[in-house]
Every structure is written in structure tokens, then in C-alpha cells.
Amino acid sequence: MTRASLDKQPQEVAEMFDDVAEKYDLTNDVLSLGQARLWRKEVAKAVDARPAQKILDLAAGTATSSQPFARTGAYVVPCDFSTGMLTVGKKRYPHMPFTAGDATRLPFADDVFDAVTISFGLRNVQETDQALRELYRVTKPGGRVVICEFSQPTWAPFRTVYTEYLMRALPPVARTVSSNPDAYVYLAESIRDWPDQPALAARLQGAGWSKVAWRNLTGGIVAMHRGFKA
């Protein structure tokens, strides 16, 4: 079984997600204590997909995250660099235009999408700033980005408890439900290592996005950032 390291070599990360593809959605529901579904609903509200709009769902995995956008009548492209995830997703949603792609070199033209979004995937990209620039490039002027990612709880005592859960409780729980529990050790470490809310907002602004703001979910365990392309 594959476990990526924190230098996030693309091939290692892709192989790790290939390993966990079959049970990935179930494992996320268990490890998040059901919160993952709530977070998806909030992302759908923020993206605000409309009929005939083009939406890029990057790091879409099996395209579970894409379904709320598709139900609005938008044209949704689920994109991921894990072929294992894409294969599982295509079996579940054969009508969707699954696309293999690297976040740092997206296989799309400039100014294509009305909205671009990535949930719990930006953290796994080796070159975060390049990915943010690529998302900007493929977005139409006036379009929007929504990023949902693990972040830093805002209340210090809870932050301590949360960190203990990540590093001590998460791996044993993952062993009971995941085909590759070592992958979740990496995920816990990558969450702990990720920038906080203001730092990610600054990186979005550095990539060209304007009107950048964020909203904390579940006490800051997750933060949802949004920006616009002028």
C-alpha cells in the first residue's frame, strides 16, 4: 500500500488515492463524524451553480462532490489526477465528463469556467500557488473560486483536542474502515502542516484573486475560502 510523504510527490499522492478509492467516501463520512456531508452542502451554496454554467470540480475524486452542482443543471467537469478515483467515479456516474488532470497544469483553455472549486484537495498539491494560478487562468472574468479545506480551529482549547484526535485517534479508526490506513496518517500530518485561514487567503490574493474572504465551518476545523476573477 502507498503512503505519500509531506513533500507531496505527485506520483506518490496519486497512487495513495488510487489505493483508497473504493471506500474513500465511506471512510470520510466515518472519520468526519458525518460532517463531510454538511460541508458539501455549504460548498454547493457558495458555488451557487446555475443552469448552463460551466463548473470545474478539481480534485473531484469519485465525483460525490460534483453531484450538487450537476443537479442545478450546470455542466460540471470532475477533474482529478488519481485514475483509481476516476475509474470508481465513472462506474457510479457514467454520464459525467471525468477528466484526468494535474492541478498545476490543467488541461483546459483560458477563461472557460464560470466557477472553479476544490474541496479537500488543494492540501495535497505540491505547488499550491501554481494550482491557484491555474484555477485563475481557466476561470472566466467575473467568475469565482470556492476552496473548502481543513484549517485551524479558532478556539485554542478545542484546537488542542482536535490535534490530538488527528494524530492519535484518526489512524486507529481508519484501520477499521479504510483499505489503506497509512494514507490517513499522511492526511492527518498534512492537515496539521497546512496554512491557517489568513495565510491561505493571502496566497489566493497572490495568485490574482480579488474580494477574497473565508468562512469557518465546524469551529474552524474546515474553512471555506472564496474569491473572484476581475
Side-chain angles (χ1 to χ4, degrees):
M1 292 294 185
T2 303
R3 179 201 161 181
S5 57
L6 282 181
D7 63 1
K8 301 173 188 174
Q9 293 297 320
Q11 188 61 34
E12 285 184 358
V13 176
E15 289 176 357
M16 183 185 72
F17 281 101
D18 289 347
D19 283 345
V20 301
E22 286 288 349
K23 293 185 177 179
Y24 184 72
D25 295 318
L26 169 64
T27 304
N28 282 352
D29 278 341
V30 172
L31 294 180
S32 70
L33 306 177
Q35 291 294 296
R37 299 184 185 195
L38 170 65
W39 299 333
R40 280 196 293 271
K41 288 180 181 178
E42 294 303 317
V43 169
K45 290 179 186 176
V47 170
D48 192 25
R50 304 291 177 86
Q53 285 189 337
K54 293 180 180 177
I55 311 294
L56 172 62
D57 187 12
L58 186 58
T62 62
T64 297
S65 59
S66 305
Q67 301 315 302
F69 315 134
R71 284 194 289 269
T72 69
Y75 178 77
V76 186
V77 179
C79 181
D80 203 287
F81 72 159
S82 165
T83 54
M85 287 285 197
L86 295 172
T87 299
V88 172
K90 194 66 176 177
K91 290 176 183 175
R92 295 179 185 173
Y93 310 107
H95 61 287
M96 299 200 76
F98 286 87
T99 303
D102 183 333
T104 64
R105 297 186 300 275
L106 291 173
F108 308 108
D110 297 353
D111 305 331
V112 171
F113 295 99
D114 297 282
V116 294
T117 183
I118 179 170
S119 293
F120 309 109
L122 188 62
R123 192 183 73 257
N124 301 314
V125 178
Q126 187 178 40
E127 299 175 36
T128 304
D129 296 327
Q130 176 60 22
L132 293 175
R133 288 192 293 269
E134 274 291 273
L135 285 170
Y136 185 88
R137 178 183 67 77
V138 302
T139 302
K140 293 178 181 178
R144 56 212 181 272
V145 63
V146 175
I147 297 171
C148 190
E149 187 53 89
F150 289 107
S151 197
Q152 300 296 322
T154 53
W155 189 43
F158 177 58
R159 187 160 59 241
T160 301
V161 171
Y162 173 64
T163 302
E164 288 293 308
Y165 167 75
L166 278 178
M167 302 313 299
R168 295 189 181 185
L170 189 150
V173 173
R175 276 194 289 272
T176 68
V177 291
S178 173
S179 56
N180 184 2
D182 282 347
Y184 288 87
V185 176
Y186 156 80
L187 291 175
E189 291 173 349
S190 68
I191 291 168
R192 186 178 60 179
D193 195 53
W194 185 244
D196 65 11
Q197 292 89 325
L200 181 55
R203 294 178 86 158
L204 274 159
Q205 290 169 334
W209 297 97
S210 61
K211 300 180 183 177
V212 174
W214 73 85
R215 178 180 160 212
N216 290 315
L217 304 176
T218 318
I221 286 177
V222 163
M224 189 166 58
H225 286 68
R226 187 166 65 176
F228 294 86
K229 181 172 179 175

